Amino acid sequence: MKKKIFTVILALMISLFAFNICLANEEHPIQDATNSVRNAVGGAENAIENGVEGIGNMTKDATNSMETTMNNAGEDVRNSVSPSTNNGDSYSATRTSTGGAEATFMGMNSTVWTWLIIGIAAIAIIALVWYYSSQITNDSNNKRM
């Protein structure tokens, strides 16, 4: 048994000293490793900066293109909607309005009607939730009997 242990230890010692890697043979191994890491990080940084810059330029180009298209469309609409009337005046939307703030239906303006409809819808929703929740409660109570 002692012979086997001695053989294993001897084999480990021989392999340790026979296959030793010496970093001192190189001039500056730590500095070379540091420079390699710096170069890798710098390359990744440049790639990311170029990618972000490219995306920014693409977004600017798309926005400028959309702005030009919308401006042209607005000019086309503006030119097509401004025909002359019989007396030579330009078309104006105020001439076709329904009377401004004084316009009412059944004595109420559009704001009152909007709030009235929202209120009725809210009451209906609350009533439906209440009805369905009471149905579930009634069904539960009836099943217990």
Side-chain angles (χ1 to χ4, degrees):
M1 184 71 177
K2 290 182 182 180
K3 193 174 187 182
K4 287 182 181 180
I5 293 174
F6 178 72
T7 308
V8 170
I9 290 174
L10 183 65
L12 286 173
M13 295 287 279
I14 290 172
S15 65
L16 180 66
F17 291 115
F19 303 106
N20 191 356
I21 298 173
C22 183
L23 295 176
N25 289 340
E26 296 181 25
E27 288 184 27
H28 303 288
I30 295 176
Q31 188 176 8
D32 292 343
T34 304
N35 289 337
S36 296
V37 170
R38 283 183 184 157
N39 291 338
V41 170
E45 181 181 335
N46 290 338
I48 291 171
E49 284 178 2
N50 291 340
V52 169
E53 186 178 336
I55 291 171
N57 290 337
M58 182 180 65
T59 305
K60 281 182 189 176
D61 292 344
T63 305
N64 289 338
S65 174
M66 288 174 53
E67 182 180 7
T68 302
T69 303
M70 291 299 176
N71 286 337
N72 292 341
E75 286 295 322
D76 292 344
V77 169
R78 197 173 299 123
N79 291 337
S80 66
V81 174
S82 61
S84 297
T85 57
N86 291 339
N87 58 5
D89 293 335
S90 296
Y91 176 80
S92 175
T94 55
R95 292 183 179 177
T96 60
S97 69
T98 58
E102 296 85 27
T104 60
F105 178 70
M106 295 177 60
M108 295 184 284
N109 64 10
S110 62
T111 304
V112 174
W113 278 107
T114 302
W115 282 109
L116 182 66
I117 292 170
I118 290 173
I120 291 171
I123 291 171
I125 290 170
I126 291 169
L128 287 172
V129 169
W130 188 4
Y131 172 75
Y132 285 120
S133 66
S134 67
Q135 282 295 110
I136 292 171
T137 305
N138 286 341
D139 289 344
S140 299
N141 289 337
N142 291 335
K143 287 181 184 176
R144 290 182 188 162
M145 292 182 175

